[in-house]
């Protein structure tokens, strides 16, 4: 950055930007650079939390149904197992997308 400041900071401004807009665009682009990793963290947290909540709800339903209707409780447990496999696959994909986008943003 010390040797070539225009190359290092060139992505903050598009070519042909009017002179009065330069300070505003630099501030907006700088904020955008800091917000992107935070937005990715919020996204992955929300997706994983939603999956865990769904698993918790189905597990609670299965435990409540055991004394009343054992067959439905067994089917619910099977669905819970399949959902857990799906959650593991989603977690792997989310981690891959998170690392990929983070490496592109930074």
């Amino acid at each position: 950055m010390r040797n070539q400041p225009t190359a290092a900071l060139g992505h903050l401004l598009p070519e042909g930007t009017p002179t009065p807009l330069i300070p505003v665009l630099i501030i907006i682009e700088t904020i955008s650079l800091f917000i992107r990793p935070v937005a990715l963290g919020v996204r992955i947290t929300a997706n994983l939390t939603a999956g865990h909540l769904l698993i918790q709800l189905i597990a609670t339903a299965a435990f409540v149904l055991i004394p009343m209707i054992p067959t439905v409780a067994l089917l619910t447990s099977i669905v819970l197992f399949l959902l857990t496999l799906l959650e593991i696959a989603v977690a792997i994909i989310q981690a891959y997308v998170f690392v990929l986008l983070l490496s592109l943003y930074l």
Side-chain angles (χ1 to χ4, degrees):
M1 184 158 154
R2 191 178 340 175
N3 296 334
Q4 297 176 338
T6 55
L9 300 175
H11 66 282
L12 293 177
L13 282 177
E15 287 187 36
T17 303
T19 307
L21 290 179
I22 289 177
V24 175
L25 282 178
I26 288 177
I27 292 171
I28 290 172
E29 288 295 324
T30 304
I31 291 171
S32 172
L33 284 175
F34 286 114
I35 293 294
R36 285 179 183 172
V38 174
L40 284 175
V42 168
R43 177 177 169 247
I44 196 167
T45 302
N47 286 335
L48 293 177
T49 302
H52 283 72
L53 282 174
L54 186 59
I55 287 174
Q56 179 65 36
L57 288 172
I58 293 177
T60 303
F63 281 122
V64 168
L65 288 173
I66 286 175
M68 292 186 268
I69 313 168
T71 12
V72 175
L74 180 65
L75 288 174
T76 307
S77 298
I78 292 171
V79 169
L80 179 64
F81 176 72
L82 294 174
L83 188 62
T84 302
L85 293 178
L86 179 66
E87 179 71 17
I88 291 170
V90 167
I92 291 170
I93 292 170
Q94 285 292 324
Y96 172 73
V97 169
F98 179 79
V99 169
L100 179 70
L101 289 177
L102 192 63
S103 67
L104 288 175
Y105 287 161
L106 297 179

